[in-house]
Amino acid sequence: MESQRNLMLIALLFVSFLLWQAWQDDKAPQPVATQTTVAQTNDVPSHSNSDVPDADSSMPVQLPATQNLIEVKTDQLDIKIDPVGGDIVYAALVDHKVEIDSNDPFVLLEQNGAFNYISQSGLIGRDGIDSSTHGRAHFSAESELYQLADGQDTLSVPLSYVDANGASYTKVFTFTRGQFDVTVDYKVNNTTSAPLQMQMYGQIKQTVQASESSMMMPTYRGAAFSTQSVRYEKYDFEDIAKSNLNQQTLGGWAAMLQHYFVSAWVPPANDSNTIFSSMSAGGQANIGFRGAVHDIAPGAQQTISAQFFVGPKDQKALSDISETLNLVVDYGFLWWLAIPIYKLLMFFQSIVTNWGVAIILITLSVRGILYPLTKAQYTSMAKMRNLQPKLAELKERFGDDRQKMGQAMMELYKKEKVNPMGGCLPILLQMPIFIALYWVLLESYELRHAPFMLWIDDLSVQDPYYVLPLLMGVSMWLMQKMQPMAPTMDPMQVKMMQWMPVIFTVFFLWFPSGLVLYWLVGNLVAITQQKIIYAGLEKKGLK
């Protein structure tokens, strides 16, 4: 019974951690919108965040009467571009639906009166064409609709602009079949007699909203960034409201996260960039980058580029863009354990093509690997139970002399070859694996809308009929009944242990069904292993 009590204690601590985390999210003060600026860097001219045009949530897009949004359709994306500034103001993911039984695509970027989530980019600096004081460049396009045709691998969308001095600018969006990243190129043709100096910026703006996180689904919505010294760090809306980022780095990226999805600006890895953030007066959080300063000689042409990603947290696709961008799939402090679990899960899925079956296979694998330790655990427990009469004799002999009692117990354990801690190691190994798998199931976008069988059509959400949690509770109750109660156990502890299956059944009602499936199968395997091990111990004369 000691093993079961320890297991439930550790699981209870884990659930308590989730409760504390949910309480923190609920009680944390909401961001207060403030108008602030970013400090200057040493190697760039006096271009601060005030140079970056502000698109406050209270200011709708203003288009000339003859201009409409430019729509781009690929096999993965449905994008709308505002010709004023060339900003991406709408992005829908074609193959990712809002609901499992819906034909409507999941919309990640959008702009309306109540909520804005857009991606901006432009050229700022001494000769930049985008400014918070002088307005944005008004681009023109040959068409209002661009579509990736069958058999076409890439699609380019050029937007043209000529400034008052005659210099021409072409902002080109390049889309690739099967990909969610967009290459944004500024092709500058300096037809003037004077040199031009400018730098590119890219930023993501989002109206601050309350978190949709819950106790069992502690998802993160907010900003994140990467620099040379910080591979990955979250910077939530409260952080943005308190202090503006001003991180100068080689390469780096800036992103907004939303559970299974991410939007990110990734400037060139070899350029000196500045990662910045700000909070507008209208309650809109911004995070982005300012790129290196470029000097373009008279009569010269130059291309200034960056990449923008808008899509699911596909680790391979993100790694192809930046070696650290895949870290937005946040597995927490057990990332080193979660990564091999994720790879093993993907391997099983590639064979069985069913995520539920893959979860069952990974459960069997984990239990199989831990079987030698589990056997040692139950053997140690059986030996400890058989030593109870001798331990009782020692207690009567030495009474309250703890020192002599301890020495006698150690001698007895050594003589009988019993390790009193032998029952703890498998439990200590199982809980990190459980927590790591919890984060894998929580963060892996592949499980979103992934069906299992029968009524389970989405392993990333709770069981709609609560069948799996109830079965899990029954299996936990069976495990409890299979292990004898220690005669010396306090009656209050006995009652608590009897109620544990009920308590955990209630907690598991809101767990993702994929995780409950893992726990249920793990319990069933554990029950089978217990019966096999107990039968072997009985043959050896150990009860």
Side-chain angles (χ1 to χ4, degrees), residues 38-94:
V38 177
Q40 306 301 316
T41 54
N42 295 327
D43 65 339
V44 298
S46 58
H47 310 322
S48 71
N49 195 42
S50 60
D51 292 308
V52 177
D54 179 44
D56 191 88
S57 59
S58 62
M59 299 172 59
V61 178
Q62 297 179 353
L63 300 177
T66 57
Q67 285 186 309
N68 296 311
L69 297 179
I70 301 162
E71 188 168 11
V72 184
K73 293 185 176 183
T74 72
D75 62 324
Q76 298 292 343
L77 296 170
D78 184 356
I79 297 286
K80 292 180 181 179
I81 301 171
D82 182 358
V84 178
D87 300 332
I88 300 177
V89 296
Y90 176 88
L93 311 182
V94 176

Side-chain angles (χ1 to χ4, degrees), residues 143-217:
S143 174
E144 291 183 357
L145 176 62
Y146 293 82
Q147 194 159 357
L148 187 69
D150 293 339
Q152 185 180 4
D153 291 330
T154 60
L155 174 65
S156 294
V157 179
L159 308 181
S160 302
Y161 173 76
V162 179
D163 66 13
N165 297 319
S168 64
Y169 302 80
T170 304
K171 186 174 186 177
V172 183
F173 295 85
T174 303
F175 300 83
T176 304
R177 180 177 295 278
Q179 296 183 12
F180 295 92
D181 56 296
V182 183
T183 301
V184 181
D185 296 315
Y186 276 93
K187 297 182 178 181
V188 183
N189 185 9
N190 186 5
T191 58
T192 70
S193 58
L196 298 177
Q197 187 181 83
M198 61 194 65
Q199 62 184 141
M200 183 178 178
Y201 82 93
Q203 69 178 353
I204 305 166
K205 293 174 170 284
Q206 182 175 171
T207 304
V208 176
Q209 286 189 334
S211 174
E212 299 175 354
S213 178
S214 64
M215 183 188 72
M216 299 309 174
M217 295 285 285

